[in-house]
DNA sequence: CGAATAGTTAGTCAAATAACTAACCAACAT
DNA sequence: ATGTTGGTTAGTTATTTGACTAACTATTCG
């Protein structure tokens, strides 16, 4: 019934302020692990955990060069999230359209009725 | 540094397939708790927990009338999520713009260089 | 009234999160 | 070759999540 484990991981990854802050930083350009860690009052392994979650969700991509691991954002990864939101809005608007049709139908029937 | 506890609750609420399915159902129109529960193979209290989280996040609104609690979606509640995504994209695009400026600058300098 | 319906409360439990410290490895830099 | 920097692994702990059962309350129906 779920059929979208990717969305679970994406939304879950975004549900944390530290991880969102990391993404905002990376949106400005790639950065190393310790660059990313610097603004946070948090031990390195904790921050690594966040990076791992972001990478597992596909939101960032990391590559180790020498002893430095460089992290970069993957902008396309946000697409499924936007997609779900759009789909959701489409459902909602579809409902509004049907509601409108219904109301118009009611008005028409009342007109016909009083006209008989 | 977080400054957006609302986003935490929103993304967290969306990070579960059951809750997303509930929202998709509600996008089609209001429904009672047992209507919503029917498609799921889950005890009622568990489903109530999901409804509670959705309500706490502000994504749904519920009202009890007699012994029936009716749930309705709150479409505006998605706005902060969209907002954050848009902001994120803006940062990314700003970065691309600066990158483009930089590349154009480099090209200009190379032209001037070879021209000397 | 008495039974069925709709939801709620309370309490339990296993698994997942998110943080920490301590110890470790693999490049560089001197 | 040794120390320092940048990151990683392992293992611990407290909290939160998500699901369950059992028992309960509050309508509504016959």
């Amino acid at each position: 019934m779920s059929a979208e484990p990717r969305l679970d991981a994406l939304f879950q990854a975004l549900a944390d302020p530290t991880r969102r802050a990391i993404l905002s930083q990376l949106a400005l350009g790639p950065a190393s692990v310790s660059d990313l860690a610097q603004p946070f009052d948090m031990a390195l392994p904790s921050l690594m955990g966040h990076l791992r979650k972001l990478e597992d969700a596909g939101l960032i991509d990391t590559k180790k060069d020498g002893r430095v691991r460089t992290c970069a954002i993957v902008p396309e990864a946000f697409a499924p999230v936007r997609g779900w939101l759009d789909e959701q809005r489409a459902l909602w608007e579809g409902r509004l359209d049907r509601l409108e049709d219904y109301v118009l139908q009611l008005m028409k029937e009342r007109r016909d009725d009083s006209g008989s």
Side-chain angles (χ1 to χ4, degrees), chain A:
Chain A
M1 177 152 281
S2 128
E4 277 302 358
R6 181 160 77 247
L7 280 176
D8 289 22
L10 283 169
F11 279 119
Q12 188 67 55
L14 296 176
D16 179 281
T18 301
R19 289 193 290 265
R20 288 197 305 277
I22 290 173
L23 289 173
S24 293
Q25 181 57 49
L26 288 179
L28 305 176
S32 74
V33 171
S34 26
D35 285 350
L36 289 172
Q38 191 227 315
F40 301 101
D41 183 19
M42 186 181 288
L44 244 146
S46 314
L47 197 118
M48 291 286 297
H50 288 301
L51 291 179
R52 181 114 204 274
K53 284 215 141 196
L54 288 171
E55 188 165 21
D56 287 350
L59 285 163
I60 70 172
D61 190 19
T62 83
K63 196 165 33 167
K64 195 159 180 177
D65 184 23
R67 65 183 161 170
V68 175
R69 179 173 296 277
T70 301
C71 307
I73 207 166
V74 178
E76 316 87 84
F78 292 88
V81 176
R82 289 183 177 284
W84 186 82
L85 289 172
D86 289 349
E87 200 181 293
Q88 199 61 22
R89 181 155 64 180
L91 288 176
W92 166 255
E93 286 175 352
R95 184 220 158 176
L96 283 192
D97 288 351
R98 285 192 303 282
L99 194 64
E100 187 179 17
D101 288 351
Y102 173 68
V103 171
L104 290 175
Q105 184 63 24
L106 273 189
M107 287 168 72
K108 181 170 176 297
E109 281 170 12
R110 282 193 59 175
R111 229 180 7 256
D112 292 353
D113 222 35
S114 58
S116 73

